[in-house]
Amino acid sequence: MSTFYNRIAGESVERLAALSDGIFAVAMTLLVLDLHGPAKEAIGSEQDLYRALVALWPQLLTYMKSFLTLAIFWNGQQAQLNRFARTNRHLTWIQMLFLCAVSIMPFSTRLLAEFIGYRIALICYWANLLFLGAVLYIAWRYARRTGLITQDTSHEIACAIERRIVFGQVLYATGACLCIWNTYWSIAFIVVTQINFAIAPRIPWLSRF
Amino acid sequence: MSTFYNRIAGESVERLAALSDGIFAVAMTLLVLDLHGPAKEAIGSEQDLYRALVALWPQLLTYMKSFLTLAIFWNGQQAQLNRFARTNRHLTWIQMLFLCAVSIMPFSTRLLAEFIGYRIALICYWANLLFLGAVLYIAWRYARRTGLITQDTSHEIACAIERRIVFGQVLYATGACLCIWNTYWSIAFIVVTQINFAIAPRIPWLSRF
Amino acid sequence: MSTFYNRIAGESVERLAALSDGIFAVAMTLLVLDLHGPAKEAIGSEQDLYRALVALWPQLLTYMKSFLTLAIFWNGQQAQLNRFARTNRHLTWIQMLFLCAVSIMPFSTRLLAEFIGYRIALICYWANLLFLGAVLYIAWRYARRTGLITQDTSHEIACAIERRIVFGQVLYATGACLCIWNTYWSIAFIVVTQINFAIAPRIPWLSRF
Amino acid sequence: MSTFYNRIAGESVERLAALSDGIFAVAMTLLVLDLHGPAKEAIGSEQDLYRALVALWPQLLTYMKSFLTLAIFWNGQQAQLNRFARTNRHLTWIQMLFLCAVSIMPFSTRLLAEFIGYRIALICYWANLLFLGAVLYIAWRYARRTGLITQDTSHEIACAIERRIVFGQVLYATGACLCIWNTYWSIAFIVVTQINFAIAPRIPWLSRF
């Protein structure tokens, strides 16, 4: 029987990491193109400019929120890739699904920013978060099952990575459910969750996950 | 006789890989700029937004299709680069041709998405696929002939890589021919082919290539 | 007690450097999209084109200024990352803050270029410089305190890196204060400071920092 | 006397290469954003689309020309970076100048494409080529003089790299001079020069440089 292409394709973790870093970098900086300063004609005094910049504040916040979300998932993916001894074509394609969801994130965040009071916009945004988490989880389970992770990754570390994804998704889903009352509650809950992941305060209960 | 520039230029596989990853990453994320959410003024209720998002569905599918195509060729190029022991200026320039075709892919896909019923749009798209495949094939043949591939690349692996490119191109050409009847048949055939390459199901006949 | 996710996340300096290079590269090239040549219809002779290109000069200068600023901070971050033996999740997140400020730099520069006579635009621009410097300083202090820097980084080198950030920020703040009189004085002072950092002339007093 | 910042900054060739690859990758793919297919409303039949695509041909050629130019200078820079044992802050800043000129290349090419019959557009384009070449030359001379190149770079190789830059610039300048008669002659001459650099045919006289 001959050597099949599928057995030899997609073996380089380094290039997968390089492609991922590139896609994250572009996705993280693309949104700044949407940040347009006020039109020159509309501004006549320092006060006009001040007011125009204050009006730009929500857009800036959206930008930072999108950056924060992508940074969280960059860290999440990195925690995995660092522990892949090698990859195979299936794992590479699971990561491709992840990268596809990453590149759509700017669109979801922008949709939510523009239609901040609409439940459907929030559900779309949450669906993107859910998809990112689900694919990360599947990638890790697959890598563990097929022995693609490094030898020094203990059972405890492997479980910690899984637990973190599940814990994050439970919080995001809880946030999404709050939109039954109000989308602002949802967004606030999700943002607080994300800031917690970024800062990782030394709260015993929280840092156990 | 003196040392000529052409003999010492273009020797780094690492930098070629880095440039490729960068170009693929930008090409894969650029198209999301075309995905614009509905205008704020046109939306008055959750139902309006729902309908507007449903109307966006074809654009999202196009985006994913473009991502899928680029991911397939990224894998194809990676399978080669991993097996290049070194490169020379000619091989580097063949890869440049490949990268040029990669960077035009978003344009071809967008053209097809907008003129989905037109044969000429389909032919353009297929020509891009054909060009990508042809350049990959030429690059591999050239690298084999000039001994630039690594020692541990057996004859079987080398043949598997060639066979895969030819097999893919035969399927794409078959798909393109279907446009004599209808461009939708062509697109469906090509998408199924691509999804097959991504998922690589364990169908004995198919996975032999 | 179990292994916590936060202890194992964000450990790769290489991938942090790769993400940073990607974000800097995109931020440095994005602004060229704003550089539009004159409209074809408005140009009837060589003289028309000449005048249109001369009118484009300020935009080109803004572009170069933005490039210069980003290049300075790329060097500043690189001087640090080269001396990180490893990183941890906190240091990675401090660097994320830095990258977020990097990706907003094009926006600040463009704002200043369009509203060059307005103090608020200058303050925004300076706030961005201050934020970049402050985060770099915090990152370095944190890395020193937690022993994340390489063994061969002497106390003198560590202090030189800190001193440089503080010295730069003092100059930038001095420049910003000049806007009490006139924003053009501020900009001139900041640009001269930046060109000094780029060229690093052998002036004994200046090169001590 | 204390350790100065300038002596320890900008030492990593790897990160300089990574930033360069990122900037080249973005510059090479950005222009595809300008390639817009025909508007959907204007197209009623296959023939309409065919005519619209034929009308797009000059834009596509411009895109490829820009890609070709950037690919040539990417190879030129790579030939240098591969031979840098290390870098210092001055050499890093010379490379920054080079990267700044790289990121402006898309603008110059677009200007020339739109005003193809105007001498000033051609002079701008040529000035960009000249600047790229001059900075590359200065970088190489500086690296040789300060002993930053690797030990295995023989005198012959070092001279071949210099000779190539000078030879290229002489050809580009010759091409630019042809615009006294006609800009089309200039462009044709420069394109033929570039294609010669890409293909490197085995013409004894030409390949000596």
Side-chain angles (χ1 to χ4, degrees):
Chain A
M1 207 149 138
S2 68
T3 309
F4 296 145
Y5 181 80
N6 287 335
R7 239 183 276 152
I8 57 165
E11 280 168 351
S12 166
V13 183
E14 288 77 29
R15 282 209 62 196
L16 187 57
L19 184 72
S20 304
D21 287 332
I23 287 177
F24 269 104
V26 180
M28 277 163 156
T29 33
L30 266 188
L31 268 186
V32 92
L33 283 175
D34 284 340
L35 275 182
H36 284 296
K40 214 168 177 176
E41 301 78 38
I43 305 296
S45 67
E46 295 270 359
Q47 279 200 320
D48 286 0
L49 185 58
Y50 179 74
R51 266 189 236 108
L53 287 176
V54 168
L56 218 71
W57 199 233
Q59 277 187 274
L60 200 67
L61 275 186
T62 306
Y63 179 71
M64 283 175 175
K65 187 170 174 336
S66 175
F67 198 97
L68 178 62
T69 311
L70 288 171
I72 288 169
F73 281 100
W74 180 79
N75 272 291
Q77 191 210 19
Q78 190 203 356
Q80 288 197 3
L81 288 188
N82 286 352
R83 283 162 208 291
F84 288 171
R86 59 201 168 80
T87 171
N88 65 14
R89 67 166 315 290
H90 287 295
L91 188 52
T92 299
W93 275 102
I94 296 172
Q95 294 284 337
M96 287 291 154
L97 264 183
F98 177 76
L99 292 177
C100 188
V102 164
S103 68
I104 288 170
M105 197 75 228
F107 172 75
S108 310
T109 317
R110 197 164 34 173
L111 189 76
L112 182 59
E114 262 178 71
F115 301 98
I116 205 163
Y118 290 82
R119 275 184 204 119
I120 288 167
L122 189 98
I123 298 296
C124 285
Y125 178 75
W126 169 69
N128 204 336
L129 288 180
L130 178 66
F131 189 81
L132 282 166
V135 175
L136 265 191
Y137 187 83
I138 291 167
W140 186 245
R141 293 291 298 191
Y142 178 81
R144 279 186 77 182
R145 194 161 53 82
T146 48
L148 295 170
I149 55 177
T150 53
Q151 295 285 342
D152 64 322
T153 308
S154 68
H155 181 70
E156 275 181 325
I157 290 176
C159 289
I161 286 176
E162 275 174 36
R163 207 162 49 229
R164 173 55 166 270
I165 299 171
V166 173
F167 179 57
Q169 290 300 325
V170 167
L171 288 178
Y172 292 145
T174 310
C177 286
L178 291 176
C179 84
I180 298 170
W181 287 279
N182 193 317
T183 55
Y184 292 96
W185 280 93
S186 296
I187 295 165
F189 191 91
I190 291 174
V191 169
V192 168
T193 301
Q194 290 183 325
I195 290 175
N196 167 58
F197 284 154
I199 298 178
R202 292 213 187 84
I203 304 167
W205 182 81
L206 269 174
S207 53
R208 205 179 314 158
F209 295 94
Chain B
M1 209 150 136
S2 68
T3 309
F4 297 145
Y5 180 81
N6 286 335
R7 238 183 277 150
I8 57 165
E11 281 168 350
S12 167
V13 183
E14 288 78 28
R15 284 208 63 195
L16 186 57
L19 184 73
S20 304
D21 288 332
I23 287 177
F24 270 104
V26 180
M28 277 163 155
T29 33
L30 266 189
L31 268 186
V32 91
L33 283 175
D34 283 341
L35 275 182
H36 284 296
K40 214 170 178 175
E41 302 77 38
I43 306 296
S45 67
E46 294 271 356
Q47 279 199 319
D48 286 0
L49 186 57
Y50 178 74
R51 266 188 237 110
L53 288 176
V54 168
L56 218 71
W57 200 232
Q59 279 189 277
L60 201 67
L61 274 186
T62 306
Y63 179 71
M64 283 175 176
K65 185 169 175 338
S66 174
F67 198 97
L68 177 62
T69 311
L70 287 171
I72 286 169
F73 280 100
W74 180 79
N75 272 290
Q77 190 210 20
Q78 191 203 355
Q80 288 197 2
L81 286 188
N82 287 352
R83 284 162 206 292
F84 288 171
R86 59 203 168 78
T87 171
N88 64 15
R89 68 165 315 289
H90 287 295
L91 189 52
T92 299
W93 275 102
I94 297 172
Q95 295 285 336
M96 287 291 154
L97 264 183
F98 177 75
L99 292 177
C100 187
V102 164
S103 68
I104 288 170
M105 198 74 229
F107 171 75
S108 311
T109 316
R110 197 165 33 173
L111 188 77
L112 181 59
E114 261 177 72
F115 301 98
I116 204 162
Y118 289 82
R119 276 185 203 119
I120 289 167
L122 189 98
I123 299 296
C124 285
Y125 178 76
W126 169 70
N128 204 335
L129 289 180
L130 177 66
F131 189 81
L132 282 166
V135 175
L136 266 191
Y137 188 83
I138 290 166
W140 186 244
R141 293 290 298 193
Y142 178 81
R144 279 186 78 182
R145 194 161 53 84
T146 48
L148 294 171
I149 55 177
T150 53
Q151 295 285 342
D152 63 322
T153 307
S154 68
H155 181 70
E156 275 182 324
I157 290 177
C159 289
I161 287 176
E162 275 173 38
R163 208 164 46 231
R164 173 55 166 270
I165 299 172
V166 173
F167 179 57
Q169 290 300 324
V170 167
L171 287 178
Y172 292 146
T174 310
C177 286
L178 291 176
C179 84
I180 298 169
W181 288 278
N182 192 317
T183 56
Y184 292 97
W185 279 93
S186 296
I187 295 165
F189 191 91
I190 292 174
V191 168
V192 168
T193 302
Q194 290 183 326
I195 290 174
N196 167 57
F197 283 154
I199 298 178
R202 294 214 186 83
I203 303 167
W205 182 82
L206 269 174
S207 53
R208 205 179 313 158
F209 294 94
Chain C
M1 207 147 139
S2 68
T3 309
F4 298 146
Y5 181 79
N6 286 336
R7 237 184 279 151
I8 57 166
E11 280 168 352
S12 167
V13 183
E14 287 78 28
R15 283 209 63 195
L16 186 57
L19 184 73
S20 304
D21 288 332
I23 287 177
F24 270 104
V26 180
M28 277 164 156
T29 33
L30 266 189
L31 268 186
V32 91
L33 283 175
D34 283 341
L35 276 182
H36 284 297
K40 216 168 175 174
E41 301 78 38
I43 306 296
S45 67
E46 295 270 358
Q47 279 200 321
D48 286 1
L49 185 58
Y50 178 75
R51 266 189 236 109
L53 287 176
V54 168
L56 218 72
W57 199 234
Q59 281 189 295
L60 200 68
L61 274 186
T62 306
Y63 179 71
M64 284 175 175
K65 186 171 175 338
S66 175
F67 198 97
L68 178 63
T69 312
L70 288 171
I72 286 169
F73 281 101
W74 179 79
N75 272 291
Q77 191 210 20
Q78 191 203 357
Q80 287 197 3
L81 287 189
N82 286 352
R83 284 162 207 292
F84 288 171
R86 60 202 167 80
T87 172
N88 65 14
R89 67 166 315 291
H90 287 295
L91 188 53
T92 299
W93 275 102
I94 296 172
Q95 295 285 339
M96 288 290 154
L97 264 183
F98 177 76
L99 292 177
C100 188
V102 164
S103 68
I104 288 170
M105 198 74 227
F107 171 75
S108 310
T109 316
R110 197 164 34 175
L111 189 77
L112 181 59
E114 262 179 71
F115 300 99
I116 204 163
Y118 289 83
R119 277 186 202 117
I120 289 167
L122 188 99
I123 299 295
C124 284
Y125 178 76
W126 169 69
N128 204 335
L129 288 180
L130 178 66
F131 189 81
L132 282 166
V135 175
L136 266 191
Y137 188 83
I138 291 166
W140 186 245
R141 294 291 298 192
Y142 178 81
R144 279 186 78 181
R145 193 161 54 82
T146 49
L148 295 170
I149 55 178
T150 51
Q151 296 285 341
D152 64 323
T153 307
S154 69
H155 182 69
E156 275 180 326
I157 290 176
C159 290
I161 287 176
E162 274 173 38
R163 207 163 48 230
R164 172 55 167 269
I165 299 172
V166 172
F167 179 57
Q169 289 300 323
V170 167
L171 288 178
Y172 292 145
T174 310
C177 286
L178 291 176
C179 83
I180 298 170
W181 288 278
N182 193 317
T183 56
Y184 292 96
W185 279 92
S186 296
I187 295 166
F189 191 91
I190 292 174
V191 168
V192 168
T193 302
Q194 290 183 326
I195 290 174
N196 167 58
F197 284 155
I199 298 179
R202 292 213 186 85
I203 304 167
W205 181 82
L206 269 173
S207 53
R208 204 179 314 157
F209 294 95
Chain D
M1 207 148 139
S2 68
T3 309
F4 298 145
Y5 181 80
N6 286 336
R7 238 183 278 150
I8 57 166
E11 281 167 352
S12 167
V13 183
E14 287 77 29
R15 284 209 63 195
L16 187 57
L19 183 73
S20 303
D21 288 332
I23 286 177
F24 271 104
V26 180
M28 277 163 155
T29 33
L30 265 189
L31 268 186
V32 91
L33 283 176
D34 283 340
L35 276 182
H36 284 296
K40 215 170 178 174
E41 301 79 37
I43 306 296
S45 67
E46 295 270 357
Q47 279 200 319
D48 286 0
L49 185 57
Y50 177 75
R51 267 188 236 109
L53 288 176
V54 168
L56 218 70
W57 200 233
Q59 278 188 271
L60 201 67
L61 274 186
T62 306
Y63 179 71
M64 283 176 175
K65 186 170 174 339
S66 175
F67 198 97
L68 177 62
T69 310
L70 289 171
I72 287 169
F73 281 100
W74 180 79
N75 272 292
Q77 191 209 20
Q78 191 202 355
Q80 288 198 2
L81 288 188
N82 286 352
R83 284 162 208 291
F84 288 172
R86 60 205 166 78
T87 172
N88 64 15
R89 68 166 313 292
H90 287 294
L91 187 52
T92 299
W93 275 102
I94 296 172
Q95 294 286 336
M96 287 291 154
L97 264 183
F98 176 76
L99 292 177
C100 187
V102 164
S103 69
I104 287 170
M105 197 73 229
F107 171 75
S108 310
T109 316
R110 196 164 35 174
L111 188 76
L112 181 59
E114 261 177 73
F115 300 99
I116 204 162
Y118 290 83
R119 278 188 200 114
I120 289 167
L122 188 99
I123 299 295
C124 284
Y125 178 76
W126 169 69
N128 204 336
L129 289 180
L130 177 67
F131 189 81
L132 283 166
V135 175
L136 266 191
Y137 187 83
I138 290 166
W140 186 245
R141 294 290 299 192
Y142 178 81
R144 279 185 78 182
R145 192 161 54 83
T146 48
L148 294 170
I149 54 177
T150 52
Q151 295 285 343
D152 63 323
T153 307
S154 68
H155 181 69
E156 276 182 323
I157 291 177
C159 289
I161 287 176
E162 274 173 37
R163 208 164 46 231
R164 173 55 166 270
I165 299 171
V166 173
F167 179 57
Q169 290 300 324
V170 168
L171 288 178
Y172 292 146
T174 311
C177 285
L178 291 176
C179 84
I180 297 170
W181 287 279
N182 194 316
T183 56
Y184 292 96
W185 279 91
S186 295
I187 295 166
F189 191 92
I190 292 174
V191 168
V192 169
T193 302
Q194 291 183 326
I195 290 174
N196 167 58
F197 283 155
I199 297 178
R202 293 213 187 84
I203 304 168
W205 182 81
L206 269 173
S207 52
R208 203 178 315 156
F209 294 93

